[in-house]
Amino acid sequence: MGDPATVAESGFDVVPTGAAIGAEIVGLDLRALDDATFAALRQAWLKHQVLLFRGQTMSDDDLVAFAQRFGPLDRAPASEYDASGSQEKSRPDIWIISNVLEDGKPIGALGADEAEWHTDMSYVDAPPMASVLYSLEIPPTGGDTSFANMVAALEALPADLRAQIEGKTLNHDSSYTSTGQLRKGADPVTDVTQAPGARHPMIRTHPESGVQSLYLGRRRNGWVVGMDVAQSEALLDALWAHCASPRFAWTHQWRTGDLLIWDNRSANHRRDAFDASARRVMHRCQIKGDVPR
Ligand code: OGA
Ligand code: MN
């Protein structure tokens, strides 16, 4: 549990999840943060990689204002939007994650299916530094979101696997969403060596902390650049089997009014499926990041 001295100094309490990643911040209204409190919060975020705030009441303007304290916002690329085009109607700095249909069209992205382990938008040259997800409506069960500590996953990586990825680059396919949908305008991938996207080092160094982590994007259509495809597939399967271990993970069960911010450089996330007839509505911002090195 948090140290009461921390509360007195920074105005909030940091309660680690007890798992390999994440902490809950208790005692803050995110609509009213002074600079000193924000500076302390940013340090807690760098340390724990994922912060949870419960019981928040945030308008879209409040959400954008909070996210902008971390840095300039990124808008989701047009290819992330659902095929109906309904997402374009929302403001460009808020991305709706929802399965809800209006007039038969989804109001947001990602539907109700499982989202596989991934880090956001690793298929662009400069992926977001962070994503902020705020819950407005939550189904009675399902739709939990899990996070994995990729610093810990790298530290625990068997030496033979580490030797195989040291200095290697991975191709991150941009064709499919984390729920396996082909993006608007993309063609199905038949040869992973030709998949469109971006190439990044498989071990990246955090630009703020200097700590190394595994950086794998998502499993689907990954390719270790230059490697024979069968060898690349076997290596990626072994790496993902390692990373998916519960010992690196923490699972969040959502309530309405929860806000999560994750470090998209060093944490992976996934989402459980939920009943498609239930409503789940989240509003999301993302903060611009660096080219991974
Ligand atoms: C995302 C995402 C998970 C969720 O917003 O990037 O993966 O729980 N969402 O909806
Ligand atoms: Mn995501």
Side-chain angles (χ1 to χ4, degrees):
M1 292 300 286
D3 169 0
T6 319
V7 185
E9 277 166 33
S10 58
F12 59 85
D13 202 0
V14 180
V15 184
T17 61
I21 188 167
E24 181 176 352
I25 302 294
V26 180
L28 283 185
D29 178 345
L30 296 179
R31 296 172 297 186
L33 288 181
D34 59 39
D35 290 348
T37 306
F38 179 73
L41 202 56
R42 191 175 176 116
Q43 290 311 307
W45 175 65
L46 287 171
K47 178 173 175 189
H48 296 284
Q49 303 184 46
V50 186
L51 296 183
L52 163 65
F53 305 85
R54 297 239 194 225
Q56 302 296 315
T57 308
M58 310 275 278
S59 67
D60 282 350
D61 284 344
D62 295 330
L63 187 57
V64 165
F66 172 68
Q68 275 176 336
R69 296 198 76 130
F70 288 83
L73 300 191
D74 230 357
R75 61 168 294 173
S79 61
E80 283 286 352
Y81 298 154
D82 62 275
S84 73
S86 59
Q87 185 85 42
E88 272 95 344
K89 292 193 201 107
S90 73
R91 47 193 287 178
D93 44 11
I94 298 277
W95 181 23
I96 300 170
I97 306 291
S98 185
N99 65 314
V100 171
L101 302 178
E102 275 174 15
D103 300 328
K105 291 179 182 167
I107 63 165
L110 297 183
D113 292 339
E114 177 186 348
E116 66 170 342
W117 281 114
H118 67 284
T119 181
D120 290 331
M121 289 175 59
S122 63
Y123 48 83
V124 301
D125 288 338
M129 167 177 92
S131 300
V132 180
L133 196 55
Y134 174 62
S135 64
L136 294 159
E137 293 182 62
I138 291 298
T141 58
D144 298 351
T145 307
S146 301
F147 294 87
N149 181 338
M150 301 301 278
V151 174
L154 177 64
E155 279 167 2
L157 194 64
D160 62 317
L161 282 178
R162 180 155 184 154
Q164 290 181 71
I165 63 168
E166 205 82 55
K168 291 280 198 319
T169 298
L170 187 72
N171 194 56
H172 295 244
D173 170 44
S174 60
S175 310
Y176 295 84
T177 70
S178 57
T179 52
Q181 304 299 308
L182 195 61
R183 289 180 212 277
K184 197 162 70 179
D187 295 318
V189 172
T190 52
D191 174 358
V192 292
T193 72
Q194 302 302 315
R199 294 179 173 189
H200 300 299
M202 297 181 76
I203 298 175
R204 72 179 286 187
T205 303
H206 197 285
E208 291 177 78
S209 66
V211 174
Q212 289 188 316
S213 64
L214 264 177
Y215 191 62
L216 302 179
R218 61 200 68 185
R219 176 63 188 90
R220 184 187 291 263
N221 296 327
W223 176 54
V224 183
V225 176
M227 197 175 267
D228 165 81
V229 171
Q231 276 175 9
S232 168
E233 292 288 309
L235 176 54
L236 291 174
D237 284 344
L239 290 168
W240 279 107
H242 170 79
C243 293
S245 165
R247 74 189 148 130
F248 306 124
W250 165 64
T251 298
H252 177 57
Q253 289 183 318
W254 291 92
R255 297 180 206 151
T256 300
D258 286 354
L259 183 146
L260 284 178
I261 176 165
W262 60 88
D263 192 325
N264 195 49
R265 300 163 292 194
S266 56
N268 276 4
H269 58 283
R270 64 171 296 281
R271 182 191 76 192
D272 291 335
F274 57 97
D275 176 359
S277 67
R279 291 172 62 96
R280 189 174 188 267
V281 181
M282 324 282 256
H283 284 193
R284 205 191 108 156
C285 292
Q286 48 186 27
I287 298 135
K288 278 190 203 295
D290 304 313
V291 174
R293 296 185 197 290

